Structure formats: structure tokens, C-alpha cells
Amino acid sequence: MRRSRGLTAALVLSLAGAGTGIGLVLMPEASAITPPVAFTADELPTWQPNGIVFAMAQANGTVFAGGTFSAVRPPDGTSGAEQEAVNFVALDAATGKPTSCKLAFTIGDGSATVRALAVSKDKKTLYAGGYFGAVNGTPVSSAAAIDIESCTPKASFHPGFPATVRDLAVTDDTLYAAGDFGTVEGQTRERFAAVDAGSGALKPFVANADEPGRAIEITPDGKNALLGGDFFSVNGSNTHALAVVNATTGAVAKTYSNIPSNSVVKDIATDSTGFYTGNEGSGGGVFDGRIGLRLSDFSEKWRDRCLGATQAVLPYDGVLYSSSHAHDCSLEGQFPDGKRNFFNAQLTDYEGASPAPVDGFVRSPRKLGWHPTANDGLGEGIGPRAMTIAEKGDVKYMWAGGEFTAINGKPQQALTRFASTGDVGAPTTPVASAGSVKPGEVQVRWRTSYDADDSKLTYRIYRNGSASPIATVAAESLEWERPQASWNDTTVKAGQSYTYRVTATDAAGNTSALSATASVTVPSSVQAYPNQVRADGANLYWRYDDTVSPYVADSSESGNTSGIQLNAPALRQTPGAISGASTAMGFNGTSQQVYSDHRQTVGSAFSVETWFKTNTTRGGKLIGFGNNTTRNSGTYDKQIYMTNTGRLVFGVYNGSTRTVSTGLFDTYNDNKWHHVVGTLGAGGMELIVDGQSKGTLNVTSAISYEGYWHVGGDNLGSWPTKPTSNFFAGQIDETAVYPKALTAAQAKNHYDLAKAPSDTVSKVSATEDTYINQGAPSAANGASTSLAVRGTSAYETYLRFNLPAAPAGQVLKSAALQIKTSTQASAGTADKVSVVPVTGAWSGASTTFNNKPTLGTTPLGAFASVPDGSAIQSTPLDTAALSPVLGSSYSLALTSTGTDPLWIWSMESTAADAAPQLVLTFGPK
């Protein structure tokens, strides 16, 4: 029997998103957990049985576990420390160690097992049910009462249950039982019975069921009993798997007919918010999830139709915790079929009004960020089977038992526990990206992190290696729902390069490592093609400029639908489809694809757009929508695919398959870049290739379902002219999805813009560098890993670059010098540092203060000052002075008139982004 208990929520300091200035970083209270989740996902050291735990209960800081096992061992499996524990163990809730209470549940013939445990309201008596004939030698018949203080069986309590007892519930004076029995004390009591809690004498309660009883619970007012099991009738009334009966007489009060015949109720729990079932089934059309019901009239308020048999449910402070092996929550709009989630938490009720029913059922309230992991384990491969909450020393502990053999990836058998405080697990490291398509703005974006016990994380963005964040952003994520988050930096300057790194912090202050560095150069003018895609309203825009697997950044304005690379497609393939701009992604045609990381529905109007290049004769899917991610989708449409001969097909499903194809001789597997757009809207379907309409169809609707975008592959089933391969072999670039039908003119404009000349950016690293030191006038520093600049006493730094010539038809539009300060203390300077041309000869191997080169008198640019801390710094340079020397070797010097030295990394340093660089932007004349 379970009761919800109040929990005082930990105070959590909420961090609001910052603007473009320096964000104020306030650390939240240590060890806090974001409500309404009440427990961390960090497993605590707990002794382990050598078998399976089926039942749990708790009283006065002690946790009782029953099942089928013969011994327990320490968490670390210390040799020789094993203790005998015959199907039962009592453990200290706070330490996880066995107590002095030892009980052996045995039987003369067969294998004994404990399947049910319940504690009396006064916490003095523990009741046990299962299949056993004695407790510490005291004869019993599958049910026993234990005095908790003395840890001894009560000889006076010995009701006769001739078969397995599977669940127990206790009130002030009555013990209720569910199981396989047909009689109790020689009287007919089929699968459910009630006995006196003190003497064990049979009570007049009669609720005869035709199949086994697996769960029994009493409503908080004590008036009704909630029955669960395999049955199809109770007291002659048709009701499957669930029934409500009078707690005194057993008379049927409520029947149920909407649980599938191949599903059973394994557990029932109740609190003030309602009562909840955990269901298990097998076969097609099975129901494996949870149902929330009202106590007022016993009607259903919601149904969670996740697949993966639920074994235990436990409501606690407005949250329903459950143990199962849920692997497919597609019907709930959550994770698709795949990974097993053994522990879940969800609200017991909606935060507002309940949503409209879907397929006749109200979907369950949202899942919360609590994801300890387990495995299938022994026996039936079920995973966790039982849960209870105990308190000791003002700390609450969630205990779980079952047949698992690992928790959070570490060996741990049959028992584990989680506390209400002491969160030590940090979020995963964000994967960051940065892009810029116009002057004055950089879009910094990252795949949100995953934290096992916190769904709302705080992200800090660091620019150019600064120790202080330039912005702070809060975003929500779950293990299976990690939308892209983004922040726009509007303080950047055209022609300059910037780097960004991002961290994630949970409510307890645990912080991830810094993301890998994301670099970007701000263009000097608007990049026409990507700017137009964004202006035309793309809500997904994958440019494939990513440098880190498995993330594909969304460059759309909304920027929340990142992609995940599957099976490592090739990154940064050149040249891309857009003149002088984006790189492409390469796909092998057998297993590689990118799928969106955000579950969504597609409206009644949409457009899909992409560029591709291939010479394949096996066809494949370019882009499409489907209801799975890493597995073949079972529902799929809104797709463009290539046939074996190189024709293109655009199709949707609206009760039948509807397609538009290119002509018999319009083939596109010629190893050239091509642009394809498929649209659906009030005007019908249209397929547009390379700016030309290739066909229309009077179809204005497509099936609506929740799913994910796929690029490079997914199921094609038996669609018309299906190619040999579902997967595309070739390169794909500039994929976009729109929530409207693009016009043919818009599609042609995109095609034309892609072919127009555009800006190109060249990053040129120094090929030689050195510095001179007045304090050591004869020293040559050409091999030094750092460089120095100061006026008095003098340091000067010299840099040599091999400048590229301007591309044909283009001119130098902007130039900037990029340096990185070293990790030396006070590496920055408060003084102005000038960038001047070197007019005299010099060599890194031989230049000293005594033979330093002549410098020009007109500065090319300057750093007004440079802050301390190892970070990238950049300053614009005079393009008029640099344009005449393009295509030659050119030298710059860094000088100062002040006394505060600047220390920067040289080209010889191994530090990331260390080498001094020129960033040159070329564009049309």
C-alpha cells in the first residue's frame, strides 16, 4: 500500500536569459533539484541481493525488500562480505546497509518467494505475501505478519492462502490480498480476499475474479478497494483488468471495458490527486503504460500509452514515478521506438485544462527530467519492479528493486536508491555552432544538454575565450527532446572573426565542460542566398557547415530544430552548392542520414527544399518526414526521392500515395549541383527543379502525424518507382523546410541567388614570426611560443603572411588581424597597440633588437587595449593599404608606446586558435 507524502521544495534560483552584455552569473543553491522532481538521478551505494526483488515497503527509516534471492553483498561486491538473506532483507534507508533484522522465508517443496510487502498505519507491523510456508521456522501459509520492533513473526497470524499472494493493502483493522488463490481458510475467495489485520481471521469481503489478481489498493477514505489483475469478471460483472468494489462487502462499484484484452494491471497506487495503474501486455494493440483516474467517480482522467510494461507506480508530491522498460512513447508525442527508459516521472495532473482526446484518450501529463538508467537484468528481463519512499534524517530516499543488474551504467543488482538532495551529476557538454549571414549579427546556437535529473538548464556563452560570459540563457530539454537553443550576438563587427564556447549548469550548480570552440567570421555584406531563405520563413535550415559530430545546426530565424548525424556522414565537403559559401555533407547511400532532434507535426501547407549532387544509379531519399529517428519509420511521407535512373519524385500521403515526378528524360544524377523544391498548399502540389516547374497535382492535404525530418535516407516502403536503396549516395547542401508553400518565383529566386557571386572569406595564418627585446638586445626569439609588445623597455612583434590574390572578379572588402593572448598572468595590456607595416627585411631566426627592421609610419589598424585572460582579439585593418600587396609576402609589426606589456601566442604554440591570422573578405566589385 502506498501513500503520497508532502515534500518541501528546494529553493532554486532562476536565471533569466541575458542580453548582449555581460551576464550576471548567480549560482543556485547547492544540491537543489528543480521542482516538481523530488529526487536526484545519482545512485547511492546500496547492498545488493543475488536474485530478484519483487516487493518493497518502508517504516521508521528502514526499507524492506522481498523477492527471490539467498544473499546480499556490499555495493562494491567485496569478497567475503556477503550475508545470508533468504528472500528478504531489511536495510537502513540512509546508508543502504542491512540492519540486524534477519528473516528467512522458506518452503518445504519448491522455491519460496516474497511477492508483496505492506506496513500497518502505526508502523509496527510488516505484512508479507508470496509463496512460502515458514518465516524463521514459524509455520505460515503464503502470508505473514512481522513485529517490526523485534523482527519476529507473529505466530497468532496465520491465515491459510493455498497459492501465491501477489499484493497486499492494509487499513486500521483489515489486510487485503490479491493473488492466484481460489480459497482462503477453506472458503471460496477467488483471487481477492480480506482478513483481520490482527488475528488473520477471514472477513466477509467477497470479490471473486476469474483470473489472477495482481494489485489491490484501498481508497484514501477507506470505502472502496481498487482491484487490478488479469481478470475479465468480478462477482459475475464483466470488467477487465481493473475494478472498484466496496471495501467491506466486495460488491462491485465500477467496471471497466476499455483496457485491451491482452493487457493486465500490475500495480495500483493512490494519493489525494487520484489513483493510478501500471499495466503490462503482450501482442498487437497492447496497452503497457499508465492510467490516471479520479477518486470522485473512478473515471479516467488520462492515459499514458507508452509501450514497455509498467511494473510499479508511485505518486509523490504531484509527480507519478514509475518503473517499466518504456521504449516507445510515440502515441504520447514523446520518444519513438528505441532505447528503453526504465524510470520515468510525470505530473499526476495537468497544470491547466486537460487537452482534447486523441484516438479517444486524453494524453498523459508531460514527462519530467528524471532519467536514472537500468537494464533488463535477470529472469523475464523486466528491469525494475518495485518502488518505495523512505525518510531518515530529513532526507527522502527513493528506493527501487527489480531484476536489473546495472544502474546508471554501473554494476548494481536488484536494489538501488536515490536521495532528495546531493545532486552531483553535471549536464552533458553542449555542442555549439556559430553562423553569420549579415554584418552586425552572429547566431550562436547549440544542441541543448541532457541532465538526468533536471530538465531546465542554464547556459552561459563565452566569447573569444573570455572568463566571463557574454550572455546567460535558460532552456528546457529532456533526454529524448533536445531542441536547439540560440542567442544572437549583435555587438560584432563586420569582417572580424569571433569564437564562442558554451556551458550548461543544472539547479544544483553542477556545470558541464566548455563546448568545443565555434568560430565565425562576420561578413562585410549580406550573404544573399541564406538571408533570403531566412526571409522567406524557413523554420528549419541546415547548411552543413558543422565541424563536430553528431550536431547539425539550424540556421533559421527560429533556430530550434537541430539535426543529428547518424552513422557519421562526411562533413564539410567542398565545393558546396552556394557560390563561395557553405560546405556540404556527404552520404554513403547505405546507412547515413540526418534526422531532426525535435518532434513536431507538419501543417496543411509546407515546402521542402535542398541542393544535391550525385552520380548514383541506386536512387535514395533526399528529404522526408517520418515517425522514427534511428530506426526505419513506419509512417512516412512529405518526401523527395531519386529513382535509379536519376528522376525526382515528390510525394505525400493523404489516404493514398500522391506523387509528382520529373519527366522520363529529366534526370539529375549527372554529378552536378541541382536545386529541388516540393510544395503543398491550397493551390495543390508542385515539384520545382533548378528554378523550373516540373509538374503539379491537385492535392491540397497530407496526413498529419508527429515525427521527424530526415535527410539522406529513411523508409520508402512501396512508393512508386521506388529505388534500389532507401539511402542517398552523394552530397546534400542547404536543406530548408517552410511552414507554407513557396511560390515558383521564390524557388527560382533561390536558385538564381545561389549562382550569383558572393563574398568569400580567407583565413591566412602567419608563416613566420618573432619579437625583439631591448633588455636582451642580441637575443633572437624566432622559436618562441609567445610574442611580446611594449613601448618601454621595448618589445616589438613581427608577423609575416603570404597574402592570396583576390579571386577573379572580386576585390578585398575587409581585413582584420586576429591574435590570441597567452595564459601568462596579466597577458593583456591597458595600452594602445598599433599595427604597422614592416618595410625592412627581417628573419625569425636572426632578427634581434640590435638589427630590427624598419617600420612604416602609417598604422594599418590598432587595438585600443587588450583585456587580461587568454582570449582571441581582433582589429580591422586598412583595406586600401593591403589591396595593392595581395598575392605577395607581407609583414606586419605590433608596437606600443606604453609600459604595460602584451603577450600573445605565436605560430609555434600548440594552444587552440593560437597562431596570428589575417581574416580577408573578398567580394564582387
Side-chain angles (χ1 to χ4, degrees):
M1 184 172 185
R2 300 173 178 87
R3 290 286 183 267
S4 175
R5 298 166 54 201
L7 177 69
T8 302
L11 295 176
V12 179
L13 180 60
S14 175
L15 297 180
T20 54
I22 300 298
L24 177 63
V25 181
L26 299 176
M27 296 306 294
E29 178 183 331
S31 299
I33 303 166
T34 301
V37 171
F39 304 95
T40 79
D42 303 318
E43 79 287 353
L44 297 175
T46 308
W47 278 57
Q48 312 171 64
N50 62 355
I52 299 172
V53 169
F54 290 102
M56 303 188 75
Q58 64 82 32
N60 309 317
T62 298
V63 172
F64 309 105
T68 306
F69 49 86
S70 61
V72 291
R73 64 185 185 278
D76 60 2
T78 304
S79 177
E82 187 174 270
Q83 296 182 14
E84 184 180 59
V86 183
N87 302 315
F88 174 88
V89 63
L91 305 106
D92 184 284
T95 67
K97 298 178 180 179
T99 71
S100 59
C101 179
K102 311 293 182 184
L103 297 172
F105 288 77
T106 59
I107 196 166
D109 186 20
S111 298
T113 184
V114 175
R115 294 300 178 106
L117 294 170
V119 172
S120 62
K121 285 188 174 182
D122 62 10
K123 305 296 184 183
K124 293 182 178 181
T125 303
L126 171 68
Y127 295 93
Y131 182 68
F132 47 82
V135 181
N136 284 3
T138 298
V140 293
S141 183
S142 293
I146 313 298
D147 179 75
I148 292 176
E149 183 176 8
S150 64
C151 188
T152 57
K154 296 182 178 181
S156 60
F157 182 89
H158 49 75
F161 287 89
T164 302
V165 173
R166 297 188 178 275
D167 198 20
L168 296 170
V170 62
T171 63
D172 289 331
D173 59 2
T174 304
L175 179 70
Y176 295 85
D180 300 346
F181 49 84
T183 63
V184 179
E185 293 293 320
Q187 297 188 44
T188 300
R189 293 291 190 275
E190 296 177 333
R191 283 83 187 196
F192 297 97
V195 299
D196 185 276
S199 67
L202 188 64
K203 289 203 166 189
F205 174 89
V206 176
N208 291 330
D210 60 336
E211 295 289 346
R214 296 179 181 269
I216 188 164
E217 184 64 277
I218 308 302
T219 57
D221 62 10
K223 295 180 179 180
N224 293 280
L226 312 170
L227 312 182
D230 301 30
F231 52 80
F232 290 86
S233 70
V234 174
N235 288 345
S237 296
N238 291 332
T239 184
H240 175 53
L242 182 65
V244 182
V245 301
N246 182 279
T248 301
T249 66
V252 175
K254 176 75 173 180
T255 61
Y256 297 87
S257 59
N258 63 353
I259 296 176
S261 60
N262 55 353
S263 297
V264 303
V265 169
K266 294 295 292 288
D267 193 26
I268 299 175
T270 184
D271 70 352
S272 61
T273 66
F275 72 98
Y276 306 89
T277 72
N279 291 66
E280 175 185 270
S282 61
V286 70
F287 172 56
D288 257 354
R290 294 154 291 283
I291 304 175
L293 302 104
R294 300 176 182 88
L295 288 167
S296 56
D297 60 1
F298 311 120
S299 62
E300 183 171 318
K301 54 183 180 178
W302 54 258
R303 182 173 293 210
D304 186 327
R305 293 184 289 166
C306 293
L307 296 176
T310 304
Q311 302 299 313
V313 286
L314 178 52
Y316 185 86
D317 204 28
V319 174
L320 183 66
Y321 298 89
S322 58
S323 59
S324 68
H325 54 264
H327 58 85
D328 185 356
C329 281
S330 300
L331 292 174
E332 295 303 300
Q334 295 159 9
F335 53 86
D337 194 12
K339 174 184 177 291
R340 292 191 169 197
N341 295 271
F342 293 93
F343 295 99
N344 283 291
Q346 60 199 123
L347 296 173
T348 55
D349 282 313
Y350 277 91
E351 295 150 299
S354 298
V358 177
D359 300 329
F361 298 102
V362 175
R363 279 182 169 177
S364 60
R366 63 185 176 95
K367 298 286 193 306
L368 303 172
W370 187 68
H371 311 291
T373 63
N375 66 357
D376 293 338
L378 308 171
E380 299 176 48
I382 292 292
R385 287 182 172 271
M387 309 172 81
T388 193
I389 294 172
E391 181 176 357
K392 191 169 186 180
D394 295 326
V395 177
K396 286 82 176 175
Y397 298 91
M398 165 71 78
W399 281 72
E403 53 199 75
F404 50 82
T405 57
I407 293 293
N408 292 335
K410 303 170 186 175
Q412 178 68 27
Q413 184 171 345
L415 280 174
T416 192
R417 61 199 178 98
F418 312 96
S420 60
T421 187
D423 179 15
V424 297
T428 59
T429 302
V431 182
S433 171
S436 180
V437 301
K438 58 186 178 183
E441 181 179 292
V442 167
Q443 184 189 53
V444 185
R445 55 277 173 113
W446 59 94
R447 186 189 186 202
T448 48
S449 298
Y450 160 61
D451 188 85
D453 43 32
D454 203 336
S455 59
K456 188 173 183 179
L457 302 175
T458 298
Y459 298 89
R460 295 183 176 88
I461 301 104
Y462 298 85
R463 188 173 77 177
N464 288 349
S466 172
S468 299
I470 192 172
T472 302
V473 176
E476 294 194 6
S477 58
L478 296 167
E479 183 181 21
W480 59 83
E481 186 74 22
R482 295 168 64 181
Q484 177 175 291
S486 62
W487 172 77
N488 286 340
D489 187 350
T490 56
T491 65
V492 295
K493 296 179 180 179
Q496 296 196 28
S497 295
Y498 298 85
T499 64
Y500 299 88
R501 302 182 80 178
V502 182
T503 63
T505 303
D506 66 14
N510 301 306
T511 299
S512 73
L514 282 161
S515 69
T517 299
S519 302
V520 63
T521 299
V522 182
S524 298
S525 59
V526 172
Q527 294 181 351
Y529 182 89
N531 189 64
Q532 193 62 51
V533 169
R534 288 158 60 101
D536 283 341
N539 59 3
L540 178 156
Y541 185 19
W542 295 343
R543 305 203 66 200
Y544 308 111
D545 296 331
D546 311 280
T547 59
V548 180
S549 297
Y551 175 60
V552 176
D554 180 3
S555 297
S556 69
E557 290 279 6
S558 56
N560 70 346
T561 309
S562 56
I564 300 301
Q565 304 161 28
L566 186 63
N567 296 321
L571 304 183
R572 300 187 65 79
Q573 302 291 288
T574 57
I578 309 304
S579 175
S582 174
T583 60
M585 183 169 285
F587 298 84
N588 63 10
T590 58
S591 63
Q592 295 171 340
Q593 62 162 295
V594 174
Y595 63 85
S596 60
D597 202 19
H598 180 50
R599 190 180 183 93
Q600 60 188 280
T601 57
V602 179
S604 57
F606 71 90
S607 300
V608 288
E609 173 183 40
T610 199
W611 288 80
F612 66 91
K613 183 173 75 170
T614 185
N615 60 1
T616 184
T617 56
R618 290 169 51 83
K621 182 178 291 192
L622 290 166
I623 182 172
F625 194 70
N627 69 341
N628 213 311
T629 53
T630 59
R631 301 185 179 188
N632 265 350
S633 295
T635 303
Y636 45 91
D637 77 329
K638 305 171 184 66
Q639 57 193 17
I640 297 173
Y641 58 92
M642 178 174 279
T643 69
N644 288 347
T645 61
R647 297 173 63 194
L648 296 175
V649 182
F650 168 53
V652 300
Y653 182 83
N654 64 355
S656 61
T657 300
R658 311 303 299 272
T659 61
V660 182
S661 304
T662 57
L664 190 61
F665 300 105
D666 287 335
T667 57
Y668 301 92
N669 55 347
D670 55 2
N671 218 27
K672 298 178 181 179
W673 280 111
H674 294 284
H675 178 241
V676 59
V677 178
T679 71
L680 175 76
M685 293 173 60
E686 186 170 15
L687 175 62
I688 304 165
V689 183
D690 292 342
Q692 302 295 316
S693 179
K694 295 298 179 179
T696 61
L697 193 64
N698 187 24
V699 173
T700 59
S701 65
I703 185 175
S704 179
Y705 57 96
E706 293 174 316
Y708 310 84
W709 288 107
H710 295 255
V711 168
D714 193 19
N715 203 358
L716 283 169
S718 56
W719 277 55
T721 57
K722 175 189 173 182
T724 300
S725 176
N726 289 340
F727 293 88
F728 176 78
Q731 294 179 344
I732 294 178
D733 199 5
E734 302 290 326
T735 300
V737 177
Y738 304 80
K740 63 180 182 180
L742 292 178
T743 66
Q746 286 175 311
K748 186 176 188 306
N749 184 39
H750 291 189
Y751 176 71
D752 292 340
L753 288 174
K755 300 304 178 183
S758 61
D759 291 355
T760 58
V761 176
S762 295
K763 292 186 177 182
V764 183
S765 294
T767 57
E768 193 170 10
D769 57 26
T770 190
Y771 75 97
I772 56 95
N773 178 4
Q774 186 177 14
S778 299
N781 299 296
S784 176
T785 59
S786 59
L787 306 166
V789 183
R790 185 171 62 189
T792 306
S793 60
Y795 296 139
E796 289 180 359
T797 284
Y798 311 118
L799 307 171
R800 192 187 315 278
F801 299 92
N802 290 331
L803 300 183
Q810 295 191 338
V811 296
L812 181 65
K813 300 182 73 173
S814 69
L817 174 63
Q818 177 179 297
I819 58 175
K820 186 175 184 180
T821 46
S822 75
T823 53
Q824 179 174 321
S826 302
T829 179
D831 299 329
K832 178 180 177 180
V833 174
S834 297
V835 183
V836 297
V838 178
T839 58
W842 65 279
S843 164
S846 60
T847 296
T848 69
F849 183 81
N850 289 336
N851 64 354
K852 61 183 179 180
T854 305
L855 305 183
T857 57
T858 304
L860 301 172
F863 297 91
S865 63
V866 177
D868 287 338
S870 181
I872 292 174
Q873 308 293 331
S874 181
T875 188
L877 301 180
D878 184 355
T879 56
L882 290 177
S883 293
V885 295
L886 292 175
S888 68
S889 178
Y890 189 72
S891 296
L892 304 173
L894 300 180
T895 66
S896 174
T897 59
T899 58
D900 186 11
L902 170 70
W903 288 93
I904 64 174
W905 293 121
S906 73
M907 57 176 282
E908 286 81 11
S909 171
T910 58
D913 306 306
Q917 289 187 330
L918 287 179
V919 181
L920 308 176
T921 301
F922 299 95
K925 294 180 180 179

